[in-house]
Amino acid sequence: MATTRTAAAKTEATVQDITADVTAKVETLVADTQKNVSEQFEKFSKSFESLTAMGQENMDAITKSSEIAAKAAEGISSEISAFTKKSFEDSVAAAQDLASAKTMTELFEKQTAFAQSAFEGWVGQTTKMNEIFVAAAKDVTAPLGERVTAATEKMKTLTAA
């Protein structure tokens, strides 16, 4: 009977050891799971905050591009107005000059000079307007291009995490 009691005591001790070991392992598993869930939630929260900030930065870039476009349009309009006014004034002056011609040869020379001058002015203005349009396009798209680059980098970091 003493052997049975000793065996029972050993069995009880073994069960208690196994129970303690299993309990410790379950507690470790639960603690690790809570830690992982907390870490993942924090990463998600930071990513969400980052995406929200990115959305705001995108809206700011759109606003900035719109402001640049409005200023560029204003500058283009002013340039066109100034050229139109100068062309009109040059035409009036040319008409007065043509009216003062005393011979047909002089009239044709003055007319040819005016036509050449007007054509050169038009070519020069066309070149200038082309430069203005190219510069405006670069300026307007710059903030948006920066946001595309930032979004690409952000997506790389989010997918790597």
Side-chain angles (χ1 to χ4, degrees), residues 5-53:
R5 284 188 196 157
T6 305
K10 283 184 180 179
T11 302
E12 186 178 336
T14 302
V15 169
Q16 287 176 351
D17 289 344
I18 291 172
T19 302
D21 186 45
V22 168
T23 301
K25 287 181 181 179
V26 168
E27 288 173 352
T28 301
L29 176 67
V30 168
D32 288 346
T33 301
Q34 286 176 335
K35 180 182 172 188
N36 286 337
V37 167
S38 293
E39 288 173 356
Q40 292 302 321
F41 183 76
E42 189 168 324
K43 282 182 184 179
F44 174 76
S45 294
K46 286 181 182 178
S47 294
F48 185 74
E49 289 171 8
S50 177
L51 289 174
T52 301

